[in-house]
Structures are given as structure tokens and as C-alpha cells.
């Protein structure tokens, strides 16, 4: 650790040590021995408030850590999540006297760079804060841009403080692992890796500018979404100047109602925007808390603050599509398989318990009424087996989960009955993802059909060889056939039904993918009927009983023995 980290370490320990001792006593009442203590919800909430005060006292790095923890239910109990959500809007601003030198070192005198500058920040973030100003001419690149701009400035001296705090966190992590259960150790390690990477990226305003401009270009044709334009002449690695786009905060339900906005429509626009970013574009805004979302007077959804943003690779995009399709179909096994492939669920998970959890989650997402006793039953199942199947969160999915969690909260605030599944399914269908998934299924079935055809081509020569061996007397089969005619009738019926089943299933899939679902009903019903007849055929007795097959030489050897 560097000198600043050594000086800061005792301060951090002083803030966290009482809580760590309390957590240690939860596992062993007398630290080194004793039974575990059961902690109730009120105790957890009291501790969460104390930890929140410690994070605020320690400053920007730990405030940012608390903000990230507020979206990590795989690490913290719900009481902590609720308390840490307050960090989104409770960040004290830095003094203007300390901020001004940062602007002037990068842009020159404030009076020369800007026509006017309001020194009272309109928002304070953990790593920077935002001011309003005016410039001589409108921001380029936006047809309705204003002369009024928002100026985001990195907090003075934040770089050295963050580096010192990151060293302390990395040094303390092995110690912290002793105070948490094994189920959360994986997520805690990925959190540390993610936090170190995320906070460094968020301090780089050149990176933020690039992500903002890329996402803005992706939404250029979307009339329902507004992304601010960047003023490149007044932007650096520590100062980011954008057009100022005012609006009503998206969590201000009363204000939205007064302006006559359809909140359900706004929630749908928000979810579709994030589906586009995650599934289609691969570049996404990763901090959708209410302070970063607003609604213009014309009803357009506005996104602010692209410091926390990320990318999704093609594999994760495909799995997100698979997940939503499986949820829409309520295919629990497919949901669990997708989570395992993504690395978020251990392959050793208790699938029966997880299936109950997923059914409950789907019902909740659809806004269905759920019996309280069933909720309690599932919660008890999870608590009893949670150590056997820890939910994991790989680094490449951490920001994706943050987005999903926060967007869900915002949408529910706008419309308590909002149906995420229907909106996601409609989006995937409109964008062709559902048809593409079906087309992939058809291609796989076609490949299997081709394999069967190739096998059919290879079978006659082998059959001819077997017949030649029988003609030479080299192959004997002992079998008892009660009714030869019935046997051949059964085999012929099964062969015909098998071919009919293949044809009807293939026709159903093709019509569903390339026509309309209604067109696929008739062959689908036919496939079901054929499947029933085939099942009944196999349930019948064939009238054949056979013993193992031997060549003539083997038969003679067995007789000699």
C-alpha cells in the first residue's frame, strides 16, 4: 500500500471493525466458540443504517461501493439494499473553490470557456458533480440543442483517494471473507474485481464521452428516447460538457400525472430501450436509477450520466434472448439451463427448489396474486438449501444484473401492474429474435432428419450383408413370434406413424416461423394426435420375444461347453 493508503487504513478499520465483530459473533457467539446467533430483520436494518453512515463518512469511493452494493441481492440482505438505495441521492457536493481549478486546468478560465456558469451544482455524484452553464452557440450535432449545457466535473483529488481506497479494499478482502458465508464468497470476489474496474472507468470522462456518443447514435432513429449531445470543444478526461435537457424526474409520479403522461407507456419505453441496448446494440447505459432518468415536456424519455456503462458480448446477448423466450414459454428447465450456461447458477443447484423460485418470480413479474403461504414455503426451501446452490454473478453480468434490477424498480414505480414478460416477448418478436430461435430449432431438426436419411441410405447394404450371412448359415436368431401377421402390422403402423409425426412437427415449426401462429395450429394438432397413436402403439404387446443372437460358430462352442 502507498503512504496515503497506510494513513487511511486505520480510519477505515475504525469505521468497520464494530460491525465486523458483530458479524463474527453471529457465527460464534463468543468469537472463537459458541453457537450461532439468529439475526432478525430489525437488527439487520439497524446495522445497515450504521454501515450507511460509515460509507458516507469515508467518502466518495465507499459511497460508490455502497451504490453498487445496493443492486447486489446476491451479497446483501434486503434490509441493506433498502438502506443503501438512499446513497443514490445523498452525496454531499465538493466546494466550488476546489472544483474551479479542475475546470481551468483543462479548459482555461471559466469566464472564457463559458458565457455564464452557475456555481451551485444541480447534482452531486460520488466521483463528480454536475453544473449548468451557457455557451455562445448551441451544441453541435443536435437539431434541438440549446445554448444551455450541463458540465460534469470530476471531484478534485479523487484519483489518489480512490487508488488508496482500492488498495485497502483488496488488502481487506481476504479478511472480510472470514466473516461471510461460503455461498456469497464467489459474488464478493467478483464484486471486488468489478468495482475496481468500474470506478476507474467512471473517472475517465473520455471513455464516458465515447460510450455516450455511441449509444446516442444507436438511438438516432428512436423518437421516444432522447440522448444529450456532447460539446467536444469543452470536454476532456476530467470535464464533460453536454447539452442540458431538462425534464421531470421519472420517479416523480405526481409530476408525470399532472403533465398527462401515460406511465405505463413510459415504463414500456424504458424497458424496450434497455432491451435494445442489451440484446441488439451490445452497448448499454448501466446506471438507470431515477436520478439519471427524466421525461421531457414532449414525452420523450431522457437518459443522463453515462459514466457507468458497459458492453455485452454476443454469447451473453444470445443467452439473454434464450432466457426471455424460456420465461415467456414458462419453460422452467430451459430457464435453469440458461442460468447455468451463463454461470449465474451452480450446476449442483437443487433444481426442484430453484424451479419453485422461478415460478414464483415469473408470477411476480406478471403481477399475479401469490398466496402468502406459498411464498413462505419457497423462502424456507431456499433458506434451507442456499449453501448448496449459491447464485453466482460473473463479472461480465454484474452490470447487466444492475440494469435489470434498477429498471424493474423504476417500471414498478411507474406502473405497479407492469408486465415485463409481455413487453420483452413483444420486443423480441418484433425484432425477429423469436423467429430466429424457431428457425434455429428447425435447422437442428432438419439436420437430425438429414442424419436419419443418411442412416437410411447406409442401412440397406448392412441389411443385405446380414441377409447374406443368414443365407450362408452364419447367423442364427432364436425368436418366438405368437402372430406373424400382427407383428408385421404393428411394425408397419409404427413406421407410418413415425414418418407422419416427423412431417407434422416439421410443418408446424416452419409455419410458425415463417407464416403466422394460426397457420401452425392444424399441423400442430395433427402432430399431437399422431404422437398419441404412436404412444398407444408402443404400449401394445408386439407378440415377439427374442433371445440373444449368436453366430453358428458361437452356437457350436456353447453346445460343446
Amino acid at each position: 500500500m502507498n503512504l496515503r493508503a497506510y494513513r487511511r487504513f486505520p480510519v477505515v478499520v475504525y469505521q468497520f471493525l464494530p460491525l465486523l465483530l458483530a458479524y463474527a459473533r453471529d457465527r460464534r457467539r463468543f468469537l472463537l466458540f459458541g453457537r450461532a446467533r439468529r439475526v432478525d430483520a430489525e437488527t439487520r436494518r439497524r446495522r445497515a443504517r450504521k454501515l450507511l453512515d460509515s460509507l458516507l463518512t469515508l467518502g466518495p469511493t465507499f459511497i460508490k461501493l455502497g451504490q453498487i452494493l445496493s443492486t447486489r441481492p446476491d451479497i446483501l440482505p434486503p434490509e441493506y439494499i433498502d438502506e443503501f438505495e438512499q446513497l443514490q441521492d445523498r452525496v454531499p457536493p465538493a466546494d466550488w473553490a476546489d472544483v474551479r481549478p479542475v475546470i481551468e486546468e483543462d479548459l482555461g478560465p471559466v469566464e472564457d470557456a463559458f458565457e455564464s456558469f452557475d456555481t451551485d451544482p444541480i447534482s452531486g455524484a460520488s466521483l463528480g458533480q454536475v453544473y449548468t452553464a451557457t455557451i455562445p452557440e448551441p451544441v453541435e450535432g443536435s437539431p434541438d440543442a440549446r445554448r444551455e449545457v450541463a458540465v460534469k466535473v470530476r471531484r478534485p483529488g479523487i484519483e489518489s483517494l480512490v487508488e488508496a481506497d482500492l488498495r485497502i479494499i483488496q488488502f481487506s478482502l481476504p479478511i472480510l471473507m472470514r466473516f461471510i458465508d461460503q455461498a456469497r464468497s464467489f459474488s464478493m470476489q467478483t464484486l471486488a474485481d468489478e468495482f475496481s474496474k468500474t470506478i476507474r472507468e467512471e473517472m475517465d470522462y473520455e471513455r464516458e464521452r465515447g460510450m455516450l456518443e455511441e449509444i446516442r447514435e444507436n438511438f438516432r432513429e428512436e423518437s421516444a428516447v432522447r440522448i444529450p449531445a456532447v460539446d467536444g470543444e469543452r470536454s476532456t478526461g476530467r470535464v464533460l460538457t453536454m447539452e442540458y435537457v431538462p425534464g421531470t424526474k421519472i420517479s416523480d409520479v405526481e409530476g408525470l400525472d399532472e403533465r398527462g403522461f401515460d406511465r405505463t407507456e413510459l415504463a414500456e419505453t424504458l424497458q424496450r430501450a434497455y432491451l435494445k441496448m442489451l440484446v441488439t446494440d451490445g452497448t448499454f447505459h448501466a446506471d438507470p436509477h431515477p436520478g439519471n432518468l427524466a421525461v421531457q415536456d414532449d414525452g420523450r424519455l431522457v437518459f443522463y450520466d453515462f459514466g457507468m456503462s458497459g458492453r455485452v458480448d454476443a454469447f451473453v446477448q444470445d443467452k439473454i434472448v434464450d432466457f426471455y423466450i424460456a420465461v415467456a414459454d414458462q419453460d422452467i428447465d430451459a430457464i435453469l439451463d440458461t442460468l447455468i450456461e451463463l454461470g449465474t447458477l451452480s450446476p449442483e443447484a437443487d433444481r426442484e427448489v430453484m424451479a419453485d423460485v422461478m415460478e414464483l418470480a415469473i408470477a411476480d413479474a406478471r403481477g399475479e396474486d401469490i398466496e402468502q403461504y406459498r411464498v413462505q414455503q419457497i423462502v424456507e426451501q431456499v433458506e434451507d438449501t442456499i449453501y448448496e446452490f449459491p447464485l453466482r454473478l460473473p463479472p461480465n453480468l454484474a452490470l447487466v444484473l444492475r440494469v435489470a434490477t434498477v429498471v424493474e424498480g423504476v417500471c414498478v414505480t411507474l406502473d405497479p401492474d407492469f408486465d415485463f414478460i409481455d413487453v420483452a416477448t413483444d420486443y423480441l418478436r418484433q425484432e425477429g429474435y423469436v423467429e430466429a430461435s424457431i428457425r434455429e430449432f428447425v435447422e437442428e431438426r432438419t439436420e437430425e432428419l438429414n442424419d436419419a436419411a443418411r442412416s437410411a441410405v447406409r442401412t440397406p447394404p448392412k441389411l443385405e450383408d446380414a441377409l447374406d450371412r443368414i443365407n450362408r448359415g452364419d447367423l442364427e436368431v432364436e425368436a418366438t413370434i405368437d402372430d406373424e401377421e400382427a407383428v408385421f402390422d404393428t411394425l408397419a403402423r409404427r413406421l407410418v406413424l413415425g414418418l407422419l409425426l416427423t412431417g407434422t412437427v416439421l410443418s408446424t415449426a416452419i409455419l410458425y416461423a415463417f407464416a403466422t401462429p394460426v397457420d401452425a395450429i392444424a399441423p400442430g394438432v395433427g402432430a399431437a394426435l399422431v404422437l398419441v397413436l404412436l404412444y398407444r402403439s408402443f404400449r401394445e404387446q408386439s407378440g415377439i420375444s427374442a433371445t440373444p443372437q449368436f453366430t453358428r460358430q458361437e452356437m457350436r462352442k456353447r453346445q460343446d461347453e
Side-chain angles (χ1 to χ4, degrees):
M1 295 190 292
N2 57 27
L3 182 59
R4 184 165 188 175
Y6 279 115
R7 291 175 178 172
R8 189 160 168 77
F9 186 73
V11 178
V12 175
V13 171
Y14 176 78
Q15 291 293 330
F16 289 143
L17 186 58
L19 280 172
L20 291 177
L21 290 175
Y23 295 145
R25 291 191 62 203
D26 291 343
R27 305 186 72 180
R28 291 191 177 95
R29 184 177 295 273
F30 303 105
L31 295 181
L32 299 179
F33 60 91
R35 299 179 62 183
R37 299 190 300 183
R38 186 171 184 84
V39 181
D40 58 25
E42 183 55 37
T43 301
R44 286 196 295 267
R45 189 168 295 278
R46 186 170 59 251
R47 290 178 179 177
R49 294 190 186 114
K50 183 174 180 56
L51 182 55
L52 176 64
D53 292 338
S54 295
L55 295 175
L56 288 168
T57 300
L58 289 172
T61 309
F62 289 91
I63 290 172
K64 174 56 65 176
L65 179 61
Q67 290 175 345
I68 293 179
L69 283 170
S70 70
T71 59
R72 294 297 297 265
D74 57 323
I75 295 177
L76 292 180
E79 294 80 9
Y80 286 78
I81 301 295
D82 292 341
E83 292 296 326
F84 284 6
E85 285 177 348
Q86 302 177 46
L87 285 168
Q88 307 290 7
D89 295 313
R90 286 181 52 190
V91 184
D95 292 335
W96 167 246
D98 297 325
V99 174
R100 180 175 185 134
V102 176
I103 299 176
E104 295 189 336
E105 286 175 14
D106 286 20
L107 301 179
V110 174
E111 295 77 11
D112 295 342
F114 301 94
E115 194 174 67
S116 65
F117 198 102
D118 187 348
T119 58
D120 292 327
I122 58 174
S123 70
S126 57
L127 304 177
Q129 49 203 48
V130 182
Y131 300 85
T132 56
T134 58
I135 57 177
E137 61 278 329
V139 177
E140 295 182 4
S142 180
D144 51 354
R146 306 165 181 265
R147 293 175 58 246
E148 195 172 8
V149 293
V151 185
K152 184 177 180 181
V153 186
R154 188 193 299 171
R155 283 179 177 264
I158 191 67
E159 300 92 335
S160 59
L161 178 62
V162 167
E163 290 301 326
D165 287 342
L166 288 177
R167 288 179 180 271
I168 293 172
I169 291 172
Q170 290 295 334
F171 176 79
S172 306
L173 192 61
I175 301 173
L176 184 62
M177 291 294 190
R178 297 178 179 272
F179 295 90
I180 62 175
D181 54 65
Q182 185 179 2
R184 290 178 171 84
S185 59
F186 178 89
S187 291
M188 183 63 76
Q189 182 62 58
T190 59
L191 170 69
D193 296 338
E194 170 213 348
F195 178 64
S196 177
K197 176 176 178 289
T198 300
I199 197 169
R200 288 190 175 100
E201 289 180 346
E202 197 167 347
M203 288 191 298
D204 182 3
Y205 288 179
E206 287 287 353
R207 178 187 181 276
E208 179 177 349
R209 173 186 173 182
M211 298 294 280
L212 191 160
E213 291 178 333
E214 182 176 344
I215 295 173
R216 174 180 164 79
E217 177 62 24
N218 291 338
F219 280 87
R220 186 164 52 87
E221 303 297 331
E222 298 289 334
S223 59
V225 174
R226 176 79 179 276
I227 310 292
V230 175
D231 181 358
E233 294 183 4
R234 297 172 180 83
S235 297
T236 66
R238 297 190 300 173
V239 180
L240 180 61
T241 304
M242 305 156 283
E243 62 172 322
Y244 177 65
V245 183
T248 304
K249 192 174 179 179
I250 199 165
S251 58
D252 183 4
V253 175
E254 293 182 0
L256 295 174
D257 288 342
E258 288 176 0
R259 287 165 175 76
F261 295 128
D262 186 331
R263 289 191 275 120
T264 301
E265 184 178 337
L266 288 174
E268 181 175 341
T269 299
L270 178 62
Q271 189 187 5
R272 290 177 66 89
Y274 272 100
L275 285 168
K276 172 178 166 56
M277 286 189 268
L278 290 170
V279 175
T280 305
D281 301 332
T283 306
F284 64 99
H285 175 273
D287 198 12
H289 71 79
N292 289 336
L293 297 168
V295 182
Q296 284 186 232
D297 290 340
D298 62 2
R300 282 191 289 176
L301 184 64
V302 186
F303 288 79
Y304 305 124
D305 193 357
F306 290 76
M308 191 176 294
S309 52
R311 300 184 185 278
V312 186
D313 59 44
F315 173 77
V316 174
Q317 287 180 301
D318 290 341
K319 292 307 167 186
I320 292 174
V321 173
D322 292 344
F323 177 80
Y324 274 115
I325 291 175
V327 170
D329 294 339
Q330 297 192 34
D331 187 341
I332 303 300
D333 285 331
I335 294 173
L336 297 181
D337 290 342
T338 302
L339 293 176
I340 291 173
E341 290 172 2
L342 281 169
T344 60
L345 181 65
S346 170
E348 288 78 28
D350 186 328
R351 292 181 70 97
E352 182 177 354
V353 174
M354 287 306 301
D356 289 339
V357 172
M358 290 303 160
E359 288 177 358
L360 187 66
I362 291 173
D364 180 65
R366 287 193 177 278
E368 299 175 3
D369 293 331
I370 307 169
E371 298 88 346
Q372 185 60 37
Y373 80 89
R374 175 161 170 75
V375 175
Q376 184 62 32
Q377 182 183 33
I378 293 175
V379 169
E380 290 175 357
Q381 284 181 310
V382 173
E383 288 178 345
D384 291 341
T385 58
I386 188 67
Y387 301 108
E388 300 176 11
F389 61 95
L391 289 171
R392 304 170 175 177
L393 195 57
N396 63 332
L397 288 176
L399 287 179
V400 174
L401 177 66
R402 174 186 174 84
V403 164
T405 304
V406 181
V407 167
E408 178 182 1
V410 174
C411 289
V412 169
T413 300
L414 292 170
D415 178 7
D417 298 323
F418 186 70
D419 193 328
F420 299 89
I421 298 173
D422 279 351
V423 174
T425 305
D426 288 343
Y427 176 84
L428 295 176
R429 181 174 290 110
Q430 290 173 9
E431 297 298 317
Y433 291 104
V434 174
E435 287 76 6
S437 179
I438 296 173
R439 191 177 296 112
E440 182 179 352
F441 173 82
V442 172
E443 290 174 354
E444 291 175 355
R445 301 293 81 77
T446 303
E447 182 63 27
E448 291 176 2
L449 197 60
N450 290 335
D451 291 341
R454 286 191 290 268
S455 177
V457 172
R458 292 194 298 266
T459 298
K462 294 181 179 180
L463 180 61
E464 184 177 359
D465 180 65
L467 292 173
D468 289 341
R469 292 180 63 191
I470 293 173
N471 189 47
R472 293 194 304 267
D474 290 338
L475 182 67
E476 293 183 0
V477 179
E478 293 183 3
T480 302
I481 301 178
D482 299 329
D483 187 343
E484 293 184 7
E485 185 174 350
V487 168
F488 285 112
D489 285 345
T490 299
L491 292 176
R493 185 165 61 254
R494 290 176 184 175
L495 179 61
V496 172
L497 289 174
L499 291 173
L500 284 174
L501 180 63
T502 301
T504 52
V505 169
L506 192 59
S507 300
T508 302
I510 291 174
L511 288 173
Y512 189 89
F514 301 104
T516 64
V518 175
D519 295 330
I521 292 177
V525 172
L529 292 175
V530 173
L531 183 62
V532 171
L533 293 174
L534 191 60
Y535 174 76
R536 292 184 58 185
S537 174
F538 276 97
R539 293 273 298 186
E540 297 172 356
Q541 295 294 328
S542 64
I544 301 177
S545 60
T547 59
Q549 305 174 14
F550 303 99
T551 62
R552 181 179 294 275
Q553 290 79 5
E554 290 171 335
M555 290 290 292
R556 287 174 179 171
K557 183 177 180 181
R558 289 172 62 88
Q559 291 172 356
D560 292 340
E561 292 175 352

